[in-house]
Amino acid sequence: MDANRQDYLEAVLATLPECVAIVDRNFQLIDLNKAGLKMIGVEHFDDLPEGAPISLISQPYRDAYRDALKTALSGAKQEKNKPFRIEITAVDGTHHLMDCCLAPLADKNSEINAAVVTCRDVSEWQDALEAAEQSSSILQTILAAVPDAMVVIDEHGLITSFSTAAEKLFGYREAEILGQNVSILMPSPHKEAHDGYLERYLRTGEKHIIGIGRKVEGCKKDGTIFPIKLDVGEAKIGDRCLFTGFIVDLTEQQRTAAELQSLQGDLMHASRLSAVGSLASALAHEINQPLTAIANYLSAARDMMDQGVEGNEAHLHEALRESVSESLRAGNIVRRLREFVAKGEINRQILSIAQLVEDAMTLGLVGAYDKGIVCTTNINPDTNHVFADRVQIQQVMVNLMRNAIEAMEFSAEKKLEISVQSIPDKRVEIAISDTGSGIDPEMADQLFHPFATTKGSGMGLGLSICRTIIEAHEGTINAEPNPLGGTIFRIILLKAAEEKLDVE
Ligand code: ADP
């Protein structure tokens, strides 16, 4: 080899990032390029530790190295140039994993007396690989352990992970669902629309579910459609997008809520029956009054007819008209009573609150007049309408009116005022004020708790039921002292939205 060519080769070897070594038949190192010296941690070839490179190779890898070297020196090429791995300990004690390739080196006479060893430091790759394997196994552990079902999809909606809880919830094994479109887990119409939702999000960035959380429906492998809460998060990996969906099964929650609602309905009904029971004698009296009046008018009419109708037409007419009106009054009480004790489904409709309060007074004020109670009403017609259940709101009104009447039993002044007014923010306030005993201070902070009562025969359920009803109507109920003495109960309800009124 001429001197120029020698220099040229040395320059090339010096710039190579891989380590290149030449080893002779005695396994002695004859030459090592710059990258090799650097990896071992010395500046010059002469500084290499004794016995290098074998002395630098970790014990378990030495045989493999020797075998590969023997093969190369025998002139055989390494199998498909497949690298083999060794571990080198540098002079500073650091370990380097190297992928090595060996090739025979022939001299001028075509005799093979040495081999070229090229090595690439793969320690960093190995670390990265181990880290990736570790994080993948951490991810697997997380996926197996998260109590909520978790489904990860790519930007095409294809499932890339399916947690153990998701397997249990949907009935698919991870292996059979990976790579399938996530729409398989949804019922129509979302099933058909989901690709469009994804495409729209990726195009516009508009979030309709990501980070918001929705109650939607899922579809199991056996076709069962069930309620779920879905929270979707987004992860960006380079320019790829992954979406993680956390799914909570709401089946049990909804069943419990339905059972609770049905029990509450039973309790409210029982409470209405009990209220009517306690009103029985006052009600009998209330119905008896118009019946007695009718009997009186009719007997007067009969007497007039006995005396001859002529000249008595006007009186006769009036007696009959009064009889009609009294029978309507009695009929009205019976109708309200029937409506009140009926056990129906909750049925919210657009109702006139003014009318509702007036109707509730038919039952709520039964017997009040006889107890010396003076009732005034101040019902502003501009308050209409509310979206409410008629019987439930009447139950609240009747309960508050009966409590007020009872609280005024021993009061010198017995004034009951019922007012219905509009207040800001499209709300309506119903106030029921009495001049009774006022709230017992010991009762004040548990007024609306169940079984809180100061009455010997009271159940203490009335106000707790009132609050349940009003809160189910998105309203509030509170009590405060009446400046005139006694108590004011205030109920605030939302007015029915304009669009609902249009439907009416
Ligand atoms: P009950 O009437 O069976 O006691 P409620 O829940 O309707 O059950 O009422 C609970 C308690 O609240 C009553 O026992 C009473 O002490 C108090 N209360 C309710 N309304 C009034 C009122 N208008 N004035 C004074 N105290 C009242």
Side-chain angles (χ1 to χ4, degrees):
M1 195 183 290
D2 60 51
N4 272 349
R5 188 154 169 72
Q6 176 87 22
D7 290 347
Y8 170 76
L9 267 181
E10 269 175 19
V12 170
L13 283 178
T15 55
L16 266 186
E18 273 95 18
C19 313
V20 182
I22 297 175
V23 181
D24 70 9
R25 281 204 164 273
N26 303 322
F27 296 180
Q28 291 295 311
L29 198 55
I30 304 172
D31 205 355
L32 182 64
N33 74 341
K34 264 211 170 127
L37 293 171
K38 192 171 165 211
M39 191 270 298
I40 292 170
V42 294
E43 279 225 8
H44 307 289
F45 187 82
D46 296 340
D47 303 335
L48 281 170
E50 209 174 315
I54 298 249
S55 64
L56 299 175
I57 298 174
S58 305
Q59 196 69 43
Y61 297 92
R62 285 186 188 172
D63 284 348
Y65 171 74
R66 282 199 193 95
D67 289 350
L69 202 54
K70 275 186 205 150
T71 314
L73 289 168
S74 73
K77 278 238 169 97
Q78 200 180 325
E79 188 203 335
K80 286 186 193 155
N81 248 2
K82 205 172 143 212
F84 63 96
R85 186 154 298 179
I86 58 171
E87 188 187 64
I88 296 264
T89 308
V91 291
D92 64 359
T94 54
H95 300 292
H96 299 258
L97 276 177
M98 317 289 288
D99 271 356
C100 300
C101 288
L102 268 77
L105 186 64
D107 62 15
K108 278 188 261 174
N109 308 320
S110 303
E111 277 179 27
I112 297 167
N113 284 316
V116 181
V117 185
T118 55
C119 303
R120 171 176 297 187
D121 192 338
V122 293
S123 311
E124 278 184 16
W125 294 359
Q126 186 63 25
D127 288 350
L129 194 68
E130 275 168 16
E133 272 169 8
Q134 198 186 7
S135 52
S136 135
S137 81
I138 291 175
L139 185 65
Q140 283 306 328
T141 317
I142 293 173
L143 282 179
V146 275
D148 294 344
M150 186 179 142
V151 179
V152 182
I153 60 167
D154 65 12
E155 62 265 50
H156 306 294
L158 305 182
I159 298 173
T160 60
S161 280
F162 202 68
S163 74
T164 310
E167 288 185 331
K168 271 195 209 129
L169 185 59
F170 288 97
Y172 290 100
R173 306 289 309 157
E174 185 179 38
E176 67 181 306
I177 204 166
L178 285 187
Q180 298 225 45
N181 195 304
V182 70
S183 62
I184 193 172
L185 304 175
M186 305 166 192
S188 297
H190 295 297
K191 190 185 194 68
E192 293 74 22
H194 190 261
D195 282 351
Y197 299 157
L198 256 182
E199 185 274 322
R200 183 188 55 202
Y201 171 67
L202 293 170
R203 186 167 35 85
T204 65
E206 265 173 44
K207 294 185 176 171
H208 289 259
I209 190 158
I210 296 172
I212 299 167
R214 285 263 166 84
K215 285 187 181 167
V216 288
E217 282 180 328
C219 182
K220 299 192 188 219
K221 188 177 180 183
D222 65 7
T224 314
I225 295 171
F226 64 112
I228 56 172
K229 172 147 192 299
L230 174 64
D231 281 286
V232 179
E234 183 188 11
K236 284 221 156 66
I237 299 173
D239 17 310
R240 288 193 60 202
C241 253
L242 286 182
F243 300 95
T244 48
F246 280 93
I247 299 136
V248 179
D249 184 0
L250 296 181
T251 312
E252 204 46 44
Q253 199 176 322
Q254 281 200 356
R255 191 178 302 143
T256 316
E259 274 168 16
L260 196 68
Q261 202 176 39
S262 148
L263 283 174
Q264 264 181 356
D266 288 350
L267 184 64
M268 285 173 197
H269 182 235
S271 159
R272 290 201 296 277
L273 290 182
S274 135
V276 169
S278 68
L279 285 179
S281 82
L283 267 170
H285 182 65
E286 197 82 4
I287 295 172
N288 213 22
Q289 273 182 342
L291 292 181
T292 313
I294 293 167
N296 288 342
Y297 282 123
L298 291 180
S299 87
R302 189 193 55 216
D303 291 349
M304 278 183 251
M305 288 175 82
D306 286 348
Q307 288 159 19
V309 176
E310 225 164 287
N312 272 333
E313 287 95 343
H315 288 119
L316 198 55
H317 193 265
E318 175 163 6
L320 291 176
R321 199 184 58 223
E322 286 299 329
S323 301
V324 170
S325 120
E326 290 299 322
S327 68
L328 287 178
R329 192 179 135 200
N332 190 28
I333 297 170
V334 172
R335 199 174 60 250
R336 297 270 159 260
L337 197 58
R338 206 170 44 208
E339 187 180 85
F340 197 70
V341 296
K343 188 181 175 211
E345 291 289 305
I346 295 171
N347 176 19
R348 285 178 74 170
Q349 335 166 22
I350 310 256
L351 298 170
S352 153
I353 188 68
Q355 189 60 52
L356 210 52
V357 173
E358 277 173 16
D359 289 350
M361 284 160 53
T362 311
L363 293 183
L365 299 182
V366 160
Y369 180 76
D370 296 338
K371 289 183 171 156
I373 287 166
V374 180
C375 181
T376 52
T377 54
N378 179 9
I379 299 178
N380 197 330
D382 82 344
T383 47
N384 293 329
H385 292 78
V386 289
F387 185 58
D389 179 273
R390 179 192 300 279
V391 177
Q392 286 196 342
I393 297 294
Q394 290 203 11
Q395 177 167 5
V396 174
M397 295 294 142
V398 170
N399 193 67
L400 296 182
M401 289 177 204
R402 300 314 302 173
N403 276 350
I405 292 168
E406 281 179 39
M408 291 190 285
E409 191 176 356
F410 304 110
S411 302
E413 201 178 23
K414 300 182 182 196
K415 277 191 185 163
L416 177 62
E417 191 186 339
I418 298 166
S419 83
V420 183
Q421 305 295 333
S422 287
I423 58 168
D425 301 326
K426 300 194 176 125
R427 292 173 307 159
V428 48
E429 183 193 81
I430 307 155
I432 295 173
S433 9
D434 64 61
T435 52
S437 57
I439 304 288
D440 186 325
E442 284 194 9
M443 176 63 60
D445 56 347
Q446 45 181 327
L447 200 57
F448 294 96
H449 292 191
F451 310 117
T453 182
T454 53
K455 298 172 195 168
S457 60
M459 289 267 288
L461 283 177
L463 288 180
S464 123
I465 291 176
C466 287
R467 186 168 69 174
T468 307
I469 293 175
I470 295 301
E471 288 180 351
H473 283 77
E474 295 98 40
T476 57
I477 177 166
N478 286 303
E480 63 190 65
N482 185 351
L484 304 173
T487 314
I488 305 177
F489 277 86
R490 290 185 198 279
I491 293 168
I492 295 177
L493 291 174
L494 288 174
K495 287 185 179 179
E498 303 286 328
E499 58 271 26
K500 284 194 176 151
L501 289 178
D502 291 344
V503 173
E504 193 186 15

